[in-house]
Amino acid sequence: MTRDSNDAALRLALRALTLHRAALHHDRHARVTEHALAHWARAHNLPFVTACRSQHPLAKQLRAHLRTATRTRRRRDQLLPTLAATPATSIQAARAKLCVARLFIDDDTPAATLLHSLARDLRHLR
């Protein structure tokens, strides 16, 4: 295998992880903004749905964070088929692909335990 295939798998996996982290960042900010908007709505005796649709700066921020998080998740999900088709020929690329795979498996499933074990084994193989 050439070095380009190693770099391609690693770059794709790292890009997917970066996009996932960005989506979580926007989710966190959306929750904080939603909480502040709920307090403002309660203080002004407005229903929360009405406050979310208003032109208040917090409502605009909330809509922007939710829109950006959705767009970021969509871009991340578009990378996954390409990442699955790209072979990982280095330990770093395999570890990065494993980290991406772990994002999409619930912690309660037996497969998650197997993936955690595989990740631990890969860390020890360095």
Side-chain angles (χ1 to χ4, degrees), residues 1-12 86-93:
M1 291 282 167
T2 63
R3 184 169 172 82
D4 292 334
S5 65
N6 292 344
D7 293 340
L10 183 61
R11 274 191 315 242
L12 286 171
T86 306
T89 56
S90 70
I91 292 293
Q92 289 84 11

Side-chain angles (χ1 to χ4, degrees), residues 24-103:
L24 292 178
H25 171 81
H26 286 291
D27 285 343
R28 195 169 33 257
H29 282 282
R31 279 192 301 274
V32 170
T33 306
E34 184 179 24
H35 189 72
L37 185 61
H39 282 296
W40 176 83
R42 191 175 331 129
H44 288 83
N45 202 20
L46 291 171
F48 182 69
V49 173
T50 304
C52 286
R53 294 179 183 156
S54 71
Q55 292 299 312
H56 191 274
L58 288 173
K60 289 180 181 179
Q61 283 180 0
L62 178 62
R63 288 191 299 267
H65 282 302
L66 293 175
R67 189 173 39 251
T68 306
T70 302
R71 185 174 38 242
T72 304
R73 277 194 188 84
R74 193 175 304 125
R75 286 176 35 211
R76 178 202 63 195
D77 292 344
Q78 289 172 348
L79 280 178
L80 295 180
T82 309
L83 178 60
T86 306
T89 56
S90 70
I91 292 293
Q92 289 84 11
R95 288 178 65 197
K97 283 179 79 169
L98 179 64
C99 286
V100 171
R102 286 177 56 194
L103 294 175

